Amino acid sequence: MKLLKKMISLLCVFAMAFSMTTNVFAAAPTNSVTIEVDGIVQETGTTVTAYKIVEVSNTTTNGWAAVSGLETYIANITNPTTSELTTLTTLIGNGTITGLESVTMITDGTTYLSGADTVANYTASVTSAGMYLIVVSGGTGTVEYNPMAVTVTISEVDGVLTNVAGDKSKITAKHSTTTIEKIASSSPTSHTADEQTAAKSLAVGDTVYFTVTTRIPQYETGTTGVTFVITDTLDSGLTYTVNSASVSVNNVSTGFESYIDTATAQQIKVDLSTIAVDHAGETVVLTYAATLNSNAVTGFNANENNVELQYTKDGSIETAEDYTYHYTFEIDGNITGSTYTNEVIKVGENEYKTVSGQTVVNALEGAEFMLYTDQACTTKVAFAPSDGSNYTSDSNGRIYIKGLDAGVDYYLKEVVAPDGYTLNPTVYKIRIEASYTGKELTGYTVTITNMSDDTQVNTCSYTSDGTNVNTTREETTYIKNTTVAELPSTGGMGTMIFTIAGCSLMIIAAAAFLASRKRKVEEE
């Protein structure tokens, strides 16, 4: 009997010892489990890291505790709030929190589409139980992810790592993309493809209409210190149209006027920092108008219009940008800094010739021209000299005209001849056609047509590879003037003799008439 009691007591001790060591066995599993996060947008330089923020604890009633140093950031260990996870993501991202156990997650390279984004799934193997915060860093900085965490638990039965799915802990990333887009249009109410193309080339004085679109990131309620500022800068060739700026948030424009700052003529600034959290995830649209002015650069030099968005991401300031290019053209301009285009040259009668393929020109200076919008030459172009003067040929015969649009017919006519020359009445049509790759001008052709003889058509074509400008074909239009002394005669020597004889007879007749009158007076 005593022996039986001793055996029972011994068994109880073993049972108690085994029950006390169960958590110890469970806390040190020998297997690993795969964690996975799906739907990470593929951007160059993106890194996905899992940081352990909650670990197994033998001293708490629920068996979990915040990793040492994180106690003040997580109030509910088993169910951290979105705000708490956001704070941890920010502090890890900016380097405030360091030294956490972590593992880099990788992808097998397989991608798929999620909406308009190319995404991939990332996995990692972990060998300790706990909660892992998923932090996505690097990339272009335009994608905002909602806070993400996965949990790996320990089975009470066999002491192996497990999770709800049975084979891996998994979460699908929810994200929003913070970008900014700028569109220029020739229309104030729409921006079709044709209207956007039309806005790429402008005449001086033309108005272009801009639409800037972005979206406020998914900030959590209560987030403080947020920056969300749009800064739109026009270069000196574009002039902001006063009072044209308007901003809307979530399709509502009323009430947001006070957030627009146009104190600088070349800059529009919209600062929504103080209301960004209240309007998280909503679309912001800025619209305004500007005019191409006489400071505009020409040819392949673009008149730029840049917009920049500064916004808070993971506790730091990120930047997104976009731009538009606008071009205008010239006649007889300096296309490369040392090469003139020479589309039109003013010359005197027989004052130019071609020798061995090389054109030698004795140019005619001082001829005045005007550019019109109609063949009848009744309406001057809007960008004609504001002082009422005309375009005048220089010592090289060039007739410099700046600020022409592509795809428009212009008409050039001489209006004042140089001293000693007669006026050339010919009307010349000028038309420029431009080609673009994306937003950049890659080539244009100037075609000049003699409207009194449509078969006389000269073209000058230019291309650019982004670095060099090449003249692929050039045919100069020479506009001739005839000197007053060289007015062509109408008839030969015979006609001249008859003219002289006729004049002599008229003189003799007049003398006879006067003599007859004198005799008559004397007889009376």
Side-chain angles (χ1 to χ4, degrees):
M1 189 65 171
K2 290 182 179 180
L3 179 61
L4 179 61
K5 288 181 179 180
K6 288 182 179 181
M7 291 179 65
I8 292 173
S9 298
L10 185 61
L11 287 173
C12 288
V13 171
F14 278 126
M16 184 179 294
F18 180 78
S19 65
M20 293 177 65
T21 58
T22 299
N23 284 339
V24 176
F25 294 150
T30 58
N31 68 306
S32 63
V33 68
T34 299
I35 59 175
E36 178 175 345
V37 56
D38 296 348
I40 300 297
V41 177
Q42 294 302 277
E43 298 181 295
T44 301
T46 295
T47 300
V48 182
T49 308
Y51 293 90
K52 191 174 184 180
I53 58 173
V54 175
E55 60 188 359
V56 172
S57 172
N58 292 324
T59 61
T60 60
T61 56
N62 59 17
W64 301 102
V67 169
S68 178
L70 304 185
E71 298 87 349
T72 58
Y73 300 107
I74 307 175
N76 187 344
I77 297 300
T78 59
N79 187 26
T81 66
T82 299
S83 179
E84 289 172 336
L85 294 180
T86 299
T87 298
L88 288 173
T89 299
T90 300
L91 296 178
I92 291 172
N94 63 25
T96 301
I97 295 177
T98 60
L100 297 178
E101 178 185 331
S102 64
V103 59
T104 300
M105 306 184 73
I106 61 174
T107 176
D108 62 5
T110 302
T111 61
Y112 58 94
L113 288 178
S114 175
D117 298 315
T118 299
V119 301
N121 301 337
Y122 285 70
T123 61
S125 294
V126 297
T127 57
S128 61
M131 180 179 291
Y132 292 83
L133 177 69
I134 309 300
V135 176
V136 183
S137 58
T140 62
T142 62
V143 180
E144 296 285 341
Y145 293 92
N146 290 350
M148 299 176 282
V150 295
T151 302
V152 177
T153 60
I154 300 176
S155 170
E156 292 290 340
V157 178
D158 52 18
V160 299
L161 297 177
T162 184
N163 54 62
V164 175
D167 58 350
K168 57 186 176 181
S169 295
K170 178 178 179 180
I171 191 171
T172 299
K174 295 181 179 180
H175 69 272
S176 60
T177 301
T178 303
T179 60
I180 193 162
E181 179 185 41
K182 185 167 193 173
I183 294 175
S185 174
S186 60
S187 168
T189 56
S190 63
H191 38 74
T192 65
D194 287 345
E195 289 165 346
Q196 290 183 53
T197 299
K200 292 178 181 178
S201 67
L202 302 168
V204 168
D206 282 354
T207 298
V208 60
Y209 302 90
F210 296 99
T211 301
V212 177
T213 305
T214 187
R215 185 169 61 180
I216 300 173
Q218 294 285 358
Y219 298 121
E220 294 299 323
T221 301
T223 303
T224 59
V226 167
T227 295
F228 192 86
V229 180
I230 300 169
T231 304
D232 195 302
T233 304
L234 295 78
D235 74 8
S236 60
L238 291 161
T239 302
Y240 168 68
T241 302
V242 178
N243 297 326
S244 66
S246 175
V247 65
S248 66
V249 178
N250 206 28
N251 294 321
V252 176
S253 57
T254 304
F256 296 101
E257 299 85 355
S258 61
Y259 298 98
I260 304 173
D261 179 10
T262 57
T264 303
Q266 299 304 113
Q267 191 174 87
I268 301 96
K269 189 174 183 179
V270 180
D271 189 346
L272 300 177
S273 300
T274 59
I275 62 171
V277 174
D278 294 334
H279 294 274
E282 296 182 1
T283 298
V284 178
V285 178
L286 165 67
T287 60
Y288 70 94
T291 301
L292 193 74
N293 62 49
S294 59
N295 293 323
V297 293
T298 58
F300 291 100
N301 300 306
N303 296 276
E304 295 187 35
N305 192 336
N306 301 315
V307 64
E308 178 183 87
L309 169 66
Q310 289 189 315
Y311 65 100
T312 300
K313 176 189 176 184
D314 299 337
S316 59
I317 304 299
E318 300 286 347
T319 300
E321 298 175 292
D322 200 9
Y323 63 94
T324 58
Y325 283 163
H326 308 280
Y327 299 89
T328 192
F329 304 92
E330 59 189 5
I331 297 297
D332 288 353
N334 189 332
I335 197 169
T336 65
S338 60
T339 303
Y340 287 85
T341 54
N342 294 337
E343 290 97 355
V344 179
I345 298 295
K346 183 64 179 174
V347 295
E349 181 72 25
N350 299 322
E351 289 190 350
Y352 74 101
K353 58 182 178 179
T354 300
V355 180
S356 300
Q358 299 298 315
T359 301
V360 179
V361 176
N362 291 317
L364 185 59
E365 183 179 4
E368 297 183 32
F369 290 79
M370 181 46 63
L371 196 65
Y372 302 89
T373 60
D374 60 321
Q375 187 175 343
C377 296
T378 59
T379 305
K380 295 181 181 180
V381 292
F383 53 88
S386 58
D387 61 1
S389 62
N390 300 312
Y391 300 103
T392 303
S393 60
D394 63 14
S395 59
N396 295 300
R398 299 189 186 104
I399 309 162
Y400 179 65
I401 303 176
K402 174 185 176 180
L404 285 73
D405 194 358
V408 176
D409 290 336
Y410 297 103
Y411 297 89
L412 181 69
K413 184 180 179 181
E414 185 175 353
V415 293
V416 178
D419 292 340
Y421 290 86
T422 60
L423 197 66
N424 186 328
T426 306
V427 175
Y428 295 87
K429 181 174 74 174
I430 299 174
R431 185 176 179 88
I432 299 170
E433 296 292 349
S435 57
Y436 303 90
T437 298
K439 297 181 179 182
E440 295 188 11
L441 176 70
T442 54
Y444 69 96
T445 298
V446 181
T447 301
I448 301 177
T449 304
N450 183 331
M451 298 307 292
S452 63
D453 181 4
D454 287 345
T455 61
Q456 183 184 342
V457 180
N458 295 333
T459 61
C460 298
S461 299
Y462 312 97
T463 58
S464 173
D465 59 8
T467 302
N468 301 307
V469 176
N470 300 306
T471 301
T472 57
R473 183 160 61 100
E474 183 168 353
E475 298 173 359
T476 299
T477 298
Y478 295 98
I479 302 179
K480 305 176 187 178
N481 273 69
T482 303
T483 60
V484 174
E486 293 179 354
L487 283 173
S489 58
T490 57
M493 183 61 69
T495 303
M496 185 177 295
I497 292 173
F498 283 117
T499 301
I500 293 172
C503 291
S504 299
L505 290 173
M506 291 176 64
I507 294 171
I508 294 171
F513 175 76
L514 290 174
S516 175
R517 291 274 298 178
K518 183 177 181 181
R519 286 195 300 269
K520 186 176 180 181
V521 171
E522 290 175 349
E523 290 175 353
E524 294 176 351

